């Protein structure tokens, strides 16, 4: 009996068989889904990394600013060479931003100046007062943006006022104390009033203050400018070492 012969046409057809249209479409759909998932994960990672960097930057800025503000206020002292002579380091009689109120703190300081001891006090009695300068830590509230700048200005020309000729720089950007609800004062003052009672106020006046005891500081910085606000809050209390009644 003769063996069955193979069909050469059918053999060629099977050797040239490939993917069907449905198989190709399914493969493309699967590849699209996988690619979309990978791109989504990559975007999330980029967003998380950017937020972490912004948060770290805001935290570092807030800490550095708070350290500078607390160091200067702690070293504040009266300046007998001022005109008129200053009985206290703190200025209560001028107008914002060169006064002590909720968003400004103005005082005499010799921080980082020569002629002053390491503790911020005159190196020896009756000397070093020439290094004292009127210094203002103030919030620049100009502009419509919710984020404001915390500024540092010092009376570098020695005329006992803060003016355009004095040295000034930014301590912190993106400060949002005034944008919160309720708003949060940067500076709150603890003092003894004329009756000797302890009082807390954001706008003390020379008519009510007998001696300032401490300054409470709260600095709120927005760490996420490109998205939903994320606030980093820094709080400290400073007791000026050279103020009568602060100990």
């Amino acid at each position: 009996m003769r063996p069955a012969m193979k069909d050469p046409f059918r053999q060629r057809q099977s050797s040239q068989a490939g993917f069907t249209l449905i198989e190709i479409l399914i493969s493309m759909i699967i590849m699209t889904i996988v690619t979309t998932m990978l791109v989504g994960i990559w975007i999330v990672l980029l967003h998380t990394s950017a937020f972490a960097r912004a948060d770290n930057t805001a935290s570092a800025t807030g800490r550095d600013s708070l350290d500078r503000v607390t160091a200067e206020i702690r070293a504040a002292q009266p300046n007998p060479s001022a005109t008129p002579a200053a009985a206290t380091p703190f200025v209560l009689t001028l107008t914002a931003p060169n006064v002590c109120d909720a968003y400004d703190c103005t005082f005499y300081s010799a921080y980082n100046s020569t002629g002053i001891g390491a503790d911020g006090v005159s190196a020896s009695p009756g000397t070093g007062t020439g290094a004292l300068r009127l210094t203002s830590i103030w919030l620049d509230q100009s502009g419509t943006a919710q984020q404001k700048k915390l500024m540092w200005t010092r009376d570098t020309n020695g005329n006992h006022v803060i003016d355009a000729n004095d040295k000034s720089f930014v301590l912190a950007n993106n400060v949002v104390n005034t944008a919160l609800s309720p708003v949060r004062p940067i500076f709150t003052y603890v003092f003894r009033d004329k009756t000797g009672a302890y009082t807390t106020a954001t706008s003390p006046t020379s008519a009510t203050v007998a001696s300032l005891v401490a300054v409470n500081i709260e600095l709120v910085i927005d760490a996420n400018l490109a998205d939903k606000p994320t606030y980093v809050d820094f709080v400290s209390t400073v007791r000026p070492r050279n103020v009568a009644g602060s100990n």
Side-chain angles (χ1 to χ4, degrees), residues 58-74:
S59 298
T61 299
R63 285 193 302 269
D64 292 344
S65 302
L66 196 63
D67 288 345
R68 178 62 182 261
V69 173
T70 55
E72 294 229 19
I73 294 177
R74 185 175 292 113

Side-chain angles (χ1 to χ4, degrees), residues 198-215:
Y198 282 100
T199 305
T200 299
T202 55
S203 298
T205 66
S206 56
T208 58
V209 175
S211 61
L212 193 142
V213 177
V215 182

Side-chain angles (χ1 to χ4, degrees), residues 35-60:
T35 302
T36 302
M37 292 176 61
L38 292 175
V39 171
I41 293 172
W42 178 248
I43 292 174
V44 170
L45 290 175
L46 287 178
H47 185 272
T48 302
S49 176
F51 175 78
R53 288 196 301 270
D55 185 69
N56 290 336
T57 300
S59 298

Side-chain angles (χ1 to χ4, degrees), residues 19-33:
F19 295 107
T20 65
L21 178 61
I22 294 177
E23 291 173 333
I24 293 175
L25 290 175
I26 292 174
S27 299
M28 292 178 63
I29 291 172
I30 293 174
M31 290 181 62
T32 301
I33 293 173

Side-chain angles (χ1 to χ4, degrees), residues 59-122:
S59 298
T61 299
R63 285 193 302 269
D64 292 344
S65 302
L66 196 63
D67 288 345
R68 178 62 182 261
V69 173
T70 55
E72 294 229 19
I73 294 177
R74 185 175 292 113
Q77 61 177 308
N79 185 5
S81 64
T83 305
T88 172
F90 294 91
V91 177
L92 306 175
T93 57
L94 300 180
T95 58
N98 307 138
V99 71
C100 289
D101 60 23
Y103 302 108
D104 315 291
C105 188
T106 303
F107 50 91
Y108 280 94
S109 172
Y111 187 82
N112 281 349
S113 297
T114 59
I116 295 295
D119 61 352
V121 187
S122 298

Side-chain angles (χ1 to χ4, degrees), residues 166-187:
D166 293 322
K167 182 178 180 180
S168 185
F169 61 81
V170 177
L171 282 174
N173 288 302
N174 308 323
V175 179
V176 291
N177 288 66
T178 56
L180 302 178
S181 181
V183 296
R184 301 184 189 178
I186 296 178
F187 302 105

